[in-house]
Amino acid sequence: MTDFEDMLSEDDSALASSFDHAPLRLTVDLGAMADNWRDMAKRSGKARAAAVVKADAYGLGIEDAGQTFYRAGARDFFVATVSEGVTLRPYVPQARIFVLSGVWPGQEADVIGSDLVPVLASEEQLSHWTAVCAQGGEHPCALQVDTGFNRLGLTVDDALYLADDPCRPASFDPVLVLSHLACGDTPSAAMNRVQLESFQKVAAAYEGVESSLSASAGIFLGPEYHFDLTRPGIALYGGEAVNDAPNPMRPVATAEARIVMIREAGEGQTVSYGGTYQLKRASRLAIAAVGYADGYQRSLSGSGIPLREMGRGGAYGFVNGHKVPVAGRVTMDLTIFDVTDVPANAVRAGDYIELFGRNVPLDEVARSAGTIGYELLTSMGLRYERLVLEQA
């Protein structure tokens, strides 16, 4: 019996049966997710920890993630869009939900009806929202300030001016002022201190209003960066938050692909499109039911792409206790793994190769693709059969 089966209840049996035979499957461990939130809440010290659940909770399911974090104690949530906030609301009934993209004409009813807090990031949004509140009554908002990222937010000078403006609309009454670090995942970056000092001025100008600067990476920079509210995201889902440092978070997602067939190929033969991967010995190849249509990116290929030509190693999977490298190019629906070093009686068609999870760290796979764990999680396609492991 597998570890996954041990954790299933009788009510899950039908789902488990479907899961057991799916070409692609994704296991989401809500217990690990909750533990990761509690870990980040502890690291946040005196600050409260929110939960960032945008992009369908980084691809893992906003409904399940929202409930999980809410039960663990989170009372502040961040989404990217109004529609995400509307979806989340029933699962976090007493929480504040901040919408990072703010509000635009036509979205007011959803914002107010679902009691969302728009994060105003421009003069246009500020003007629109104050007019809405002046006409329809007060409703909370937040203000985003750009401290060096050059993305969303008022400039520091404009935010400071607004704080002291005697003509500031009475309907503008933010409950939170926030900014975002550009280099938080690199603790030695001088930019972190520059942004911190800029944001300290803004936070001081908005006396009595809560402030927030740090997402996952910023939390690891220490108490000076925590302010009143932190915004952990990728760390909650098991991803690395800080470059070149051990990852203390528990893995949450495990992706697996079923082996469709195993074939034998001779020395000197080539593998996959372009014939760029030439076998140096007689080999056994496992053909797995996953490809770039499923978010297993072409850049993970074992050969025939610029990253491999630059000397960077390709991805590997894990099957029955063995690491197995990707052979040749990843294709739309199929990927070939070299299982020559796995004993013949230890791997067969129908077995599953772990793509990332407990044995293949998410961010190691991401580095092989020349990207980050965020992108792998949020790029998974619709063909994964999902199994959600409930909290113990």
Side-chain angles (χ1 to χ4, degrees):
M1 182 173 288
T2 68
D3 291 340
F4 297 147
E5 290 169 338
D6 287 340
M7 301 177 73
L8 293 174
S9 68
E10 292 181 5
D11 293 338
D12 295 318
S13 57
L15 175 61
S17 177
S18 174
F19 181 83
D20 286 343
H21 304 291
L24 272 174
R25 59 191 195 183
L26 177 70
T27 304
V28 180
D29 186 344
L30 298 185
M33 195 181 284
D35 284 347
N36 287 343
W37 183 83
R38 284 187 284 262
D39 185 303
M40 295 306 281
K42 184 177 180 180
R43 293 176 190 274
S44 295
K46 295 179 180 179
R48 295 194 321 281
V52 179
V53 294
K54 62 183 180 176
D56 196 31
Y58 290 51
L60 300 184
I62 192 171
E63 297 91 345
D64 288 325
Q67 278 188 318
T68 296
F69 297 136
Y70 190 77
R71 290 170 179 168
R75 290 299 179 267
D76 299 275
F77 290 79
F78 285 82
V79 296
T81 65
V82 170
S83 61
E84 288 179 343
V86 172
T87 299
L88 177 64
R89 172 49 71 197
Y91 301 95
V92 296
Q94 301 300 317
R96 293 192 302 183
I97 302 174
F98 294 89
V99 181
L100 290 165
S101 65
V103 58
W104 291 96
Q107 296 180 316
E108 303 88 345
D110 282 340
V111 168
I112 294 169
S114 291
D115 193 21
L116 309 179
V117 183
V119 178
L120 308 179
S122 68
E123 294 287 355
E124 293 84 357
Q125 288 187 340
L126 182 61
S127 218
H128 171 63
W129 187 245
T130 54
V132 168
C133 292
Q135 188 173 35
E138 292 186 4
H139 189 88
C141 68
L143 179 67
Q144 183 158 183
V145 181
D146 185 87
T147 53
F149 201 112
N150 274 314
R151 196 171 61 174
L152 294 179
L154 270 61
T155 67
V156 170
D157 287 344
D158 285 346
L160 294 176
Y161 178 84
L162 181 63
D164 294 328
D165 186 0
C167 299
R168 187 173 84 183
S171 55
F172 174 67
D173 189 20
V175 296
L176 182 72
V177 60
L178 67 149
S179 190
H180 191 63
L181 294 168
C183 304
D185 57 359
T186 306
S188 61
M191 187 70 174
N192 292 327
R193 175 59 57 174
V194 171
Q195 287 191 263
L196 173 63
E197 292 175 355
S198 292
F199 189 66
Q200 286 171 333
K201 295 175 185 176
V202 174
Y206 286 84
E207 186 178 0
V209 178
E210 290 190 324
S211 53
S212 177
L213 177 62
S214 291
S216 294
I219 293 171
F220 288 93
L221 293 177
E224 202 173 10
Y225 288 82
H226 293 168
F227 291 87
D228 299 301
L229 182 70
T230 63
R231 310 187 307 272
I234 188 64
L236 303 182
Y237 308 103
E240 291 180 7
V242 181
N243 296 332
D244 303 319
N247 183 7
M249 314 316 296
R250 289 184 60 189
V252 170
T254 299
E256 299 170 294
R258 194 166 200 175
I259 297 174
V260 179
M261 68 173 291
I262 294 177
R263 67 181 312 118
E264 295 188 2
E267 180 182 355
Q269 292 185 6
T270 61
V271 178
S272 196
Y273 283 122
T276 61
Y277 190 91
Q278 187 172 38
L279 298 174
K280 297 179 180 179
R281 57 179 176 171
S283 302
R284 283 181 296 115
L285 305 173
I287 320 303
V290 64
Y292 55 75
D294 310 296
Y296 200 69
Q297 300 175 9
R298 190 172 181 271
S299 54
L300 291 166
S301 299
S303 63
I305 59 167
L307 279 174
R308 301 297 87 83
E309 293 166 6
M310 294 166 57
R312 195 172 211 168
Y316 65 89
F318 189 87
V319 58
N320 295 336
H322 298 270
K323 293 172 66 172
V324 292
V326 174
R329 288 176 178 162
V330 173
T331 68
M332 183 181 289
D333 310 302
L334 298 166
T335 297
I336 303 166
F337 292 86
D338 189 333
V339 296
T340 309
D341 291 329
V342 181
N345 62 356
V347 60
R348 60 184 179 178
D351 288 346
Y352 285 88
I353 291 180
E354 180 182 308
L355 308 174
F356 61 78
R358 298 177 180 182
N359 301 292
V360 186
L362 170 69
D363 291 279
E364 282 191 20
V365 181
R367 280 188 284 275
S368 294
T371 187
I372 54 177
Y374 302 69
E375 186 174 9
L376 285 187
L377 283 181
T378 57
S379 297
M380 290 183 293
L382 300 175
R383 297 192 288 201
Y384 289 87
E385 185 76 30
R386 293 184 175 224
L387 177 64
V388 177
L389 303 180
E390 300 293 338
Q391 295 174 249

